[in-house]
């Protein structure tokens, strides 16, 4: 019986050592995997931050362009509004002149 106990004890110790080495190897693989995941997440975070910054810059540039175009359109509209009475007077004058010519022929 003592021989069987010793053999079982040695087998148990061998299994324990083998399982411990397997666990250490698995822990190492998991640690490497976690490091790769961490690096990937940091890369994604940096890409997203750069995307946000780039998008904010583009939005600011578009807002500036829109404001410039809006001011330009406002200036054109103001110019036309200032010229409008003159143009209307000119057209009305031509219509009155035409009416005078038509009335003279009758």
């Amino acid at each position: 019986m003592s021989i069987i106990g010793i053999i079982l004890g040695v087998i148990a110790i061998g299994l324990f050592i083998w399982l411990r080495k397997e666990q250490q190897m698995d822990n190492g693989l998991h640690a490497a995997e976690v490091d790769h995941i961490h690096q990937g997440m940091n890369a994604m975070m940096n890409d997203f931050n750069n995307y946000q910054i780039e998008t904010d810059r583009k939005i600011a540039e578009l807002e500036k362009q829109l404001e410039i175009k809006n001011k330009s359109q406002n200036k054109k509209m103001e110019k036309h509004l200032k010229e409008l009475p003159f143009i209307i007077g000119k057209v009305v004058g031509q219509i009155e002149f035409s009416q005078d010519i038509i009335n003279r022929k009758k």
Side-chain angles (χ1 to χ4, degrees):
M1 271 302 195
S2 66
I3 294 178
I4 295 175
I6 292 173
I7 293 174
L8 288 175
V10 169
I11 292 173
I13 291 172
L15 283 174
F16 179 75
I17 292 171
W18 180 75
L19 288 174
R20 186 173 169 103
K21 285 183 182 180
E22 281 291 316
Q23 186 65 39
Q24 286 176 344
M25 189 167 56
D26 287 345
N27 287 345
L29 291 174
H30 289 299
E33 195 171 326
V34 167
D35 286 341
H36 289 133
I37 290 170
H38 185 70
Q39 289 174 355
M41 295 296 277
N42 282 338
M44 284 177 55
M45 184 176 63
N46 290 338
D47 287 345
F48 186 67
N49 286 343
N50 290 335
Y51 172 77
Q52 285 179 323
I53 290 169
E54 184 178 327
T55 302
D56 288 343
R57 285 181 186 154
K58 286 181 180 179
I59 288 171
E61 180 64 29
L62 289 172
E63 286 174 346
K64 285 179 186 177
Q65 290 176 1
L66 183 62
E67 187 175 333
I68 290 169
K69 286 184 180 182
N70 193 14
K71 285 181 181 180
S72 173
Q73 291 296 324
N74 286 343
K75 286 180 182 179
K76 286 180 183 178
M77 182 61 83
E78 288 175 11
K79 179 182 174 189
H80 290 305
L81 288 175
K82 287 179 183 177
E83 294 175 351
L84 190 60
F86 175 73
I87 295 171
I88 291 172
K90 197 172 168 183
V91 170
V92 168
Q94 290 174 353
I95 292 171
E96 288 175 353
F97 180 71
S98 302
Q99 288 294 329
D100 287 342
I101 292 174
I102 292 172
N103 289 337
R104 284 188 203 162
K105 289 184 180 181
K106 287 184 181 183

